[in-house]
Amino acid sequence: MLKVVSNSSRRQFLKGTAMSGAFIALHPYAARAQAGSAHLRIMSTTDLHVHVYPYDYYGDREADTMGLARTATIIDGIRAEAGNALLVDNGDFLQGNPMGDYIAYERGMKDGDMHPVITAMNTLGYDAGTIGNHEFNYGLDFLMKTTAGANFPMVCANVVRGDLKGSAREDDLFFKPYVILDRKVTDGAGAEHAIKVGLIGVCPPQIMNWDQRHLDGKANARDILQAARAFVPEMKEAGADIIVALSHSGIQAGAETEGMENASLHLAGIDGIDAIVTGHHHLVFPGGGYQAADGIDPEAGTLMGKPAAMGGFWGSHLGLIDLMLEKDGADWRVLASESATRPIYERVDRTNTPLVESQQGVLDSVADIHAETLEYIRRPVGETSAALHSYFALVADDPSVQIVSQAQLWYIGQMMKGTEWEGLPILSAAAPFKAGGRGGPDYYTDVKPGAVAIKNVADLYLYPNTTRAVLIDGATVKDWLERSAGIFNQVEAGASDAPLINPEFPSYNFDVIDGVTYEIDLTEPSKYDPKGELLNASANRIRNLKYQGEPIDPDQKFVVATNNYRAGGGGKFPGADGSTVIFVGPDTNRDVIVRYIVDQGTINPSADANWAFSKLGDTSVIFETGPAGAEHIDDVKGVEIEPAGDGADGFAKYRINL
């Protein structure tokens, strides 16, 4: 295995190539290639989520950590560095920021319209792409009109029109399952050779739960591995010399299971696949938080011994797979391989420093839509009498979650009128979306008192979920909260500065239920693991659960306002598997929040402290949040919080005395 260029050398190369064009460094494979051998480079983006500009629309400010326009500069440099290069996208390009919502909800997509993210990708000359799970958030018609504008093939082997057929090859697919690109590669002696590069795409079959409202009765999703095992041999039969899987699916250790969401590891084990472009997890591979496990080598960047790359998210990194190819008669084989990622920024002393400037051609291609998006996000819709922030949303009742719950209660209360469920008590389940974590120390909601604009509502509620209501009993309300309380580590009474938050538990699965009061006993083990599997059947973290000041009746029926993701089984919550849905709203949760603010004129988002940790005495726990949370610490209710120094990677550390 040849040595990869060091990070410091890489930064110098990027700056030299991107800024001045004065220095081009050949990859070692390109330098060593001889007659009959060639260096082929697979460049990949993943999880762009409409981030073309280096701009945080939620914060209405420029940002150094995102933007395909900046990734584009690295792409240009690599094309100069290695002549034999392909550029692919790994999905989740269509939804994820207000530009995407502006196109979907304001401008719309008519036949022949161009979506800005596709315009930017066409500008860069992508060779192929696949579909991620978020591509379905705006419906099939919107997706098909968007992808019709791509000057490159879109492939997806496991999303089917109508019902699944007897075998994957019989399925009526929305996109071609794969494409075989006829390309020329130049070997080390300067001679050109024909090569056929096959690209197959897959996405999580869980789209059928996550976007049921758009897909039910219209589409279906086949198991990722089942689809790949059907089509890879066909690709070989069709003459593919090299096969690269575009896997919008994460990396998960352990045994293969049917219908698994994160199947990239086992996809790499399929005979005939030479390399894996992976994503969905919003992480970086090689490295990036993955632990070594059977078949996973995060240092070498291999899955089942094959090269793999995950290029972060929002354009933060470019994934790179380098293949040293050797001509073996009429065929090509992979002689050696390397995986790497190249970042668009680095973080030093809590400051994000860009390593490249944006490519002007990409910025220019969507400049008009960027300007229209800025107008869209700045429209005022009402006033807030207090700050809306999420810095302490994981440790105390929180204003950013409170306002979502208030809006959902207001809306579902109206929707239940005249139905058989009118008069039943209504609760509201909501979770914080922007709560640091992998998004970094600035990834929090922070809306000052005063005017509330559309950009602030998008900041409160990141996803275009639609409203749902489910019908459950009091016992299930408790179990729902037990599932949510799995975000906390078990803490021994008397412990000093015990870590509070389980980093494997995503914040969007930490539901707070408004309309009841309760405590969380941290000395108890969690009843459920981070994926929602039963862990300790007798665990009892939720204490003093009350409705209207009285212990909750386990048999009492409750209507719970939530969203389509949760109601359809997202997060695997008790009482939320699709079977308990009694109301399917035509409105997005964001629209509900906007309407609520308009209706109220001035909102009071102050948290009511309906939940808290049980008092333990002489016990302290530690958690991390964004440093900007310091100005809101005195407003937190129901818990005693104090600063505890600096955390990792720019976060601030805080202590809770229980």
Side-chain angles (χ1 to χ4, degrees):
M1 191 69 68
L2 298 178
K3 185 177 180 181
V4 182
V5 180
S6 70
N7 285 336
S8 60
S9 298
R10 182 172 297 152
R11 286 195 294 271
Q12 292 170 1
F13 161 73
L14 290 176
K15 290 177 179 177
T17 302
M19 308 302 178
S20 67
F23 172 64
I24 300 296
L26 288 177
H27 187 277
Y29 284 3
R32 291 189 55 184
Q34 300 176 358
S37 64
H39 173 215
L40 177 63
R41 209 149 218 197
I42 311 296
M43 301 179 288
S44 60
T45 54
T46 191
D47 296 274
L48 290 173
H49 290 284
V50 209
H51 288 85
V52 178
Y53 263 67
Y55 202 87
D56 176 3
Y57 293 108
Y58 302 125
D60 200 2
R61 58 177 179 261
E62 293 184 357
D64 296 324
T65 61
M66 63 185 71
L68 179 60
R70 285 208 166 140
T71 327
T73 302
I74 301 178
I75 291 167
D76 282 351
I78 286 171
R79 280 175 170 153
E81 188 181 336
N84 304 321
L86 297 176
L87 175 61
V88 298
D89 183 75
N90 201 47
D92 272 10
F93 54 82
L94 193 54
Q95 178 277 336
N97 73 9
M99 180 183 280
D101 286 351
Y102 168 70
I103 298 297
Y105 298 131
E106 287 280 313
R107 197 203 72 175
M109 283 291 295
K110 301 186 297 293
D111 289 335
D113 281 352
M114 288 297 299
H115 194 286
V117 74
I118 296 295
T119 298
M121 294 165 86
N122 285 344
T123 300
L124 278 170
Y126 275 75
D127 292 279
T130 194
I131 303 301
N133 53 289
H134 281 287
E135 264 64 79
F136 300 95
N137 288 171
Y138 302 128
L140 287 165
D141 183 63
F142 186 89
L143 170 60
M144 301 312 290
K145 286 177 179 176
T146 296
T147 54
N151 293 339
F152 51 91
M154 288 283 184
V155 293
C156 184
N158 69 320
V159 181
V160 178
R161 284 189 179 90
D163 296 329
L164 298 176
K165 301 297 191 295
S167 68
R169 291 194 187 189
E170 298 175 78
D171 287 341
D172 181 12
L173 299 170
F174 284 94
F175 299 90
K176 292 180 179 180
Y178 61 85
V179 65
I180 297 178
L181 302 177
D182 291 302
R183 293 291 188 265
K184 298 283 188 182
V185 292
T186 303
D187 69 13
E192 276 196 346
H193 301 268
I195 189 170
K196 292 181 179 290
V197 180
L199 298 160
I200 182 171
V202 290
C203 75
Q206 283 72 19
I207 59 171
M208 297 307 300
N209 290 330
W210 299 334
D211 275 299
Q212 182 182 19
R213 70 194 186 281
H214 293 310
L215 302 180
D216 192 28
K218 300 177 183 177
N220 222 309
R222 186 176 287 279
D223 174 80
I224 286 174
L225 301 172
Q226 188 181 99
R229 287 175 178 136
F231 287 113
V232 168
E234 183 178 292
M235 296 170 73
K236 297 301 287 186
E237 292 168 10
D241 294 304
I242 302 297
I243 294 179
V244 180
L246 305 184
S247 174
H248 191 84
S249 180
I251 301 169
Q252 179 179 317
E256 172 186 335
T257 57
E258 186 174 355
M260 65 191 307
E261 175 184 347
N262 299 302
S264 292
L265 172 63
H266 298 288
L267 194 62
I270 294 176
D271 187 42
I273 291 178
D274 297 290
I276 301 281
V277 175
T278 179
H280 186 54
H281 269 174
H282 287 211
L283 293 174
V284 177
F285 189 85
Y290 286 105
Q291 301 297 315
D294 189 20
I296 303 173
D297 188 335
E299 185 174 345
T302 59
L303 301 176
M304 297 294 189
K306 296 175 183 176
M310 183 188 295
F313 62 101
W314 302 353
S316 65
H317 296 71
L318 185 75
L320 284 175
I321 296 174
D322 288 286
L323 302 176
M324 186 68 163
L325 305 177
E326 183 179 63
K327 191 82 168 172
D328 185 10
D331 301 319
W332 289 92
R333 66 185 182 94
V334 178
L335 190 64
S337 64
E338 288 183 351
S339 300
T341 58
R342 289 196 179 177
I344 65 171
Y345 74 99
E346 63 181 352
R347 189 172 181 86
V348 179
D349 297 330
R350 296 190 178 186
T351 301
N352 297 321
T353 302
L355 297 175
V356 289
E357 297 295 334
S358 294
Q359 188 198 86
Q360 193 60 44
V362 174
L363 294 178
D364 291 345
S365 72
V366 297
D368 290 346
I369 300 298
H370 172 65
E372 291 170 19
T373 303
L374 293 179
E375 291 181 10
Y376 170 73
I377 65 170
R378 291 167 180 168
R379 296 176 194 169
V381 293
E383 299 273 334
T384 176
S385 60
L388 286 163
H389 64 85
S390 62
Y391 293 107
F392 302 100
L394 301 183
V395 300
D397 198 23
D398 173 83
S400 72
V401 177
Q402 185 79 43
I403 194 64
V404 173
S405 276
Q406 288 173 351
Q408 290 180 171
L409 286 168
W410 170 81
Y411 178 80
I412 294 299
Q414 298 175 67
M415 296 299 108
M416 291 298 102
K417 291 178 180 177
T419 72
E420 63 183 286
W421 303 288
E422 183 177 2
L424 287 178
I426 302 175
L427 310 178
S428 181
F433 295 132
K434 293 183 70 176
R438 293 171 181 172
D442 301 321
Y443 194 61
Y444 293 88
T445 295
D446 195 344
V447 180
K448 307 300 182 187
V452 179
I454 288 176
K455 68 177 181 179
N456 305 134
V457 175
D459 194 24
L460 285 167
Y461 209 103
L462 293 185
Y463 304 108
N465 294 333
T466 52
T467 52
R468 294 285 190 276
V470 300
L471 183 67
I472 60 176
D473 59 25
T476 308
V477 170
K478 182 179 184 300
D479 230 20
W480 189 310
L481 291 169
E482 291 283 0
R483 164 74 176 107
S484 182
I487 195 171
F488 302 116
N489 295 319
Q490 187 176 9
V491 176
E492 185 177 347
S496 177
D497 289 356
L500 176 62
I501 306 294
N502 180 352
E504 299 302 315
F505 195 109
S507 68
Y508 57 77
N509 279 339
F510 179 58
D511 274 359
V512 171
I513 295 185
D514 261 302
V516 293
T517 58
Y518 55 98
E519 295 178 0
I520 298 175
D521 184 351
L522 296 176
T523 64
E524 283 280 316
S526 178
K527 187 171 184 177
Y528 297 94
D529 72 8
K531 294 181 181 178
E533 300 294 337
L534 186 64
L535 196 61
N536 299 288
S538 62
N540 185 28
R541 282 188 161 183
I542 303 303
R543 306 283 191 174
N544 297 322
L545 177 59
K546 295 180 180 181
Y547 173 69
Q548 293 187 339
E550 297 294 330
I552 199 166
D553 180 351
D555 298 321
Q556 168 72 58
K557 294 296 183 182
F558 291 90
V559 174
V560 180
T562 183
N563 60 51
N564 62 292
Y565 172 78
R566 181 71 76 240
K572 202 170 182 180
F573 274 63
D577 60 1
S579 66
T580 60
V581 174
I582 60 170
F583 172 77
V584 176
D587 302 298
T588 69
N589 296 71
R590 286 180 184 170
D591 289 339
V592 167
I593 297 168
V594 170
R595 290 184 197 175
Y596 175 70
I597 296 172
V598 170
D599 180 81
Q600 299 293 305
T602 298
I603 57 171
N604 177 12
S606 297
D608 58 10
N610 71 304
W611 74 272
F613 298 115
S614 298
K615 295 297 183 182
L616 302 180
D618 297 321
T619 304
S620 63
V621 293
I622 291 289
F623 70 96
E624 292 183 342
T625 188
E631 62 187 80
H632 300 290
I633 193 170
D634 293 335
D635 299 328
V636 182
K637 298 178 181 178
V639 64
E640 180 187 343
I641 300 176
E642 62 185 35
D646 293 334
D649 300 321
F651 284 88
K653 192 182 294 184
Y654 285 87
R655 177 180 296 109
I656 297 176
N657 295 302
L658 299 172

